[in-house]
Amino acid sequence: MSIDEMFDDLRGIILELIESFVPTETHRIHNIIYSKETKQLLKKKLLIWKKAGNSDEYKHVSALFKRSLVKSEEERIYKRLNSGSKNFFGFMKSKFKGNSDIPAIRYKSNENIIMSDEGKAEIFGDCFSEFFNIDKDILPATGNLISKFSSDVIFTPENIELLLYKLKGRNNTSPDSIPSIFLKRACTPLAIPLCIIFTESYRVGRIPKSWKEAIVMPLHKKGSRSDPLNYRPISLTSNICKIMEKLIRKHLVQYLSENNLLSEKQFGFLNQRSTISQLIAYQNKLVFNSLNGLDTHSVYIDFQRAFDTVPLNKLIHKLETFGISPKLRNWLHSFVTDRKF
């Protein structure tokens, strides 16, 4: 049985279970915790209404109740804003969702204004695929930086179950129609079959074709919203494939770190490092040079669409010089080639 047939069989079972047992509507109940003062005013307000109706006393208590609600809401918001950066940005995002609609667009010198959704999709498809880099297959003459190969990735049901459990419980969009909330709720029974599929995919160096499909969403970045060049593509891929990606990435980064194959000045995409830590290191250098009467020269380089123009053959060649095992290289090559959106 091929890796595509293995995943298609599992996907068919999952979709059948979702169709049979998962409700199609969700009723969200927001339980707001009121203060003791607010609850007492609410009870008093109802009692007065039953006895005296819309009297002056009722209006007075209603005003007190309203002020108590406003005070409680202000305290709730203040608590959210001062409970860490994650809660802060989550709260702000919920309040300012913005407009995600794509207006009428015009591409390059085309005089026609595209109004239909189908036309916009075609324009964005042409625009995003235009930046894909077709390399000339000229590989640099570099030898291997390390004499040994990396060890093979070992997939265990325990690790897979943990990653599934850590997924956010969202009914998010995925090309295989399997939302992350289902994977999270069914993490235990799914761990073993996914472990078998991951192990076989790694062994043969191929990933299922459905994992190579992505739903691309255009996200406005800057400038006029009518220019498709001012958007960047966000790829929504298989949630199951993302679990295997995380396991592969953890193994790969650990190997590169243990063998000192990553630069000490690398700050992006590493645990316990970020652009903030890079700025702090840069600031310390500036202050040190200033206090010691030294000059500081800085060069800033911005590669346009850097991730969209990586030559894949050179990437695989570089992994080979780093001692990445043939199995892992084959899997990564399958992962980055023949993708569709």
Side-chain angles (χ1 to χ4, degrees), residues 153-258:
V153 185
I154 304 298
F155 302 97
T156 64
E158 294 79 12
N159 292 337
I160 295 172
E161 181 181 0
L162 180 61
L163 289 177
L164 289 173
Y165 179 76
K166 288 183 177 181
L167 288 173
K168 293 183 178 179
R170 298 181 300 185
N171 186 24
N172 56 337
T173 304
S174 178
D176 55 20
S177 303
I178 304 176
S180 60
I181 186 173
F182 180 88
L183 300 175
K184 181 181 180 68
R185 299 285 181 88
C187 60
T188 301
L190 284 174
I192 292 179
L194 287 182
C195 182
I196 296 172
I197 291 176
F198 290 174
T199 302
E200 180 64 12
S201 173
Y202 180 79
R203 186 187 69 83
V204 299
R206 290 184 61 253
I207 69 172
K209 292 181 180 179
S210 57
W211 289 6
K212 297 186 179 187
E213 297 176 0
I215 299 173
V216 175
M217 305 291 290
L219 182 65
H220 181 251
K221 192 174 181 180
K222 61 180 181 179
S224 172
R225 296 178 64 90
S226 299
D227 187 354
L229 295 176
N230 292 331
Y231 291 77
R232 62 184 176 95
I234 301 296
S235 295
L236 307 179
T237 56
S238 169
N239 294 307
I240 292 178
C241 183
K242 290 177 184 177
I243 299 299
M244 189 171 182
E245 288 178 49
K246 290 180 180 179
L247 294 170
I248 294 285
R249 178 194 177 276
K250 181 180 180 181
H251 176 86
L252 189 58
V253 172
Q254 182 178 354
Y255 166 79
L256 295 175
S257 300
E258 290 177 351

Side-chain angles (χ1 to χ4, degrees), residues 281-291 294 296 298 300:
Y282 177 64
Q283 182 190 39
N284 289 340
K285 186 67 175 178
L286 291 177
V287 173
F288 177 85
N289 289 351
S290 177
L291 293 177
L294 302 175
T296 302
S298 299
Y300 296 87

